[in-house]
Amino acid sequence: MKIYDVANFPNPLRVRIALAEKNATSHVTFIPVDLMNGEHRTDAFLAKNPAASVPVLELEDGTFISECTAITEYIDQHFSGPSLTGETAKERAIINMQQKRAESMVLDCVAAYFHHATDGLGPALETYQNNEWGQKQKEKSLNGLAYFNTVLSSSTFLAGETFTIADITLYAGIGFAGFAQIEIPAELTHVHRWLTLVAERPSVKQ
Ligand SMILES: N[C@@H](CCC(=O)N[C@@H](CS)C(=O)NCC(=O)O)C(=O)O
């Protein structure tokens, strides 16, 4: 299988961590996308992913799968190893809920702040910016982090005692926040404890 992405970008990182958790990185050929020069907005790329974003997974039969959550579902089912998306109905529902919260309350808000209230990817790619909305999203991301601090005060990971796709999403969101110079408040001690724990995982170090 192939993955079209840009190494070290926040969303590609989510899938790369998932692959490493499943010990499956060597089964994938990574194809770099020249995002900074707009390759993701060409007709050829839009045929793979109409949302003009990376990563995109291409299966052996030519099927294209985009959205980190969908790609991670595929990876999780396709490769053996501890589940990232849950086994039982209850586990799957809770993991899905926390993943969506990590995405909508932190990662997506940080991305909106980056694209709207900073130089983002530069003038050629940031064709519409709304600074006020971007600033609001930064505030929202900090509220999201405060929520996760409460969650992490009573559990090791976001969806309980095992590392899941929800943790991957929040980790990518916090990494993106660092890049966008959003400081994680020191008083969010449970988030900081969790960050240290996640950063030590071989999949993340890799
Ligand atoms: N919801 C998408 C988000 C993907 C995304 O936004 N990727 C960024 C890179 S981290 C991108 O391709 N941005 C292109 C742009 O902003 O033009 C997913 O889960 O894959």
Side-chain angles (χ1 to χ4, degrees), residues 15-44:
V15 164
R16 285 175 181 243
I17 293 174
L19 277 168
E21 283 286 332
K22 303 294 272 191
N23 224 348
T25 308
S26 62
H27 294 268
V28 174
T29 305
F30 291 93
I31 300 176
V33 175
D34 188 2
L35 189 135
M36 296 309 291
N37 283 312
E39 187 188 339
H40 60 307
R41 297 186 187 171
T42 60
D43 288 345

Side-chain angles (χ1 to χ4, degrees), residues 6 8-15 33 35 38 40-41 45 49 51-56 66-71 99 103 107-108 111 114-115 121 125-126 176:
V6 184
N8 297 323
F9 267 42
N11 285 287
L13 184 69
R14 293 163 74 184
V15 164
V33 175
L35 189 135
H40 60 307
R41 297 186 187 171
F45 191 87
N49 178 12
S53 65
V54 290
V56 177
S66 56
E67 293 302 322
C68 291
T69 45
I71 297 171
Q99 191 294 131
E103 205 169 50
L107 175 60
D108 289 351
F114 173 75
H115 290 296
L121 298 172
L125 292 175
E126 305 296 359
F176 200 174

Side-chain angles (χ1 to χ4, degrees), residues 105 108-110 112-113 116-117 130-144 182:
M105 295 167 73
D108 289 351
C109 302
V110 170
Y113 169 75
H116 287 274
N130 182 332
N131 181 56
E132 194 185 340
W133 191 72
Q135 295 293 349
K136 190 77 197 158
Q137 296 306 302
K138 174 181 175 181
E139 202 182 302
K140 210 177 139 193
S141 73
L142 290 168
N143 291 338
I182 299 176

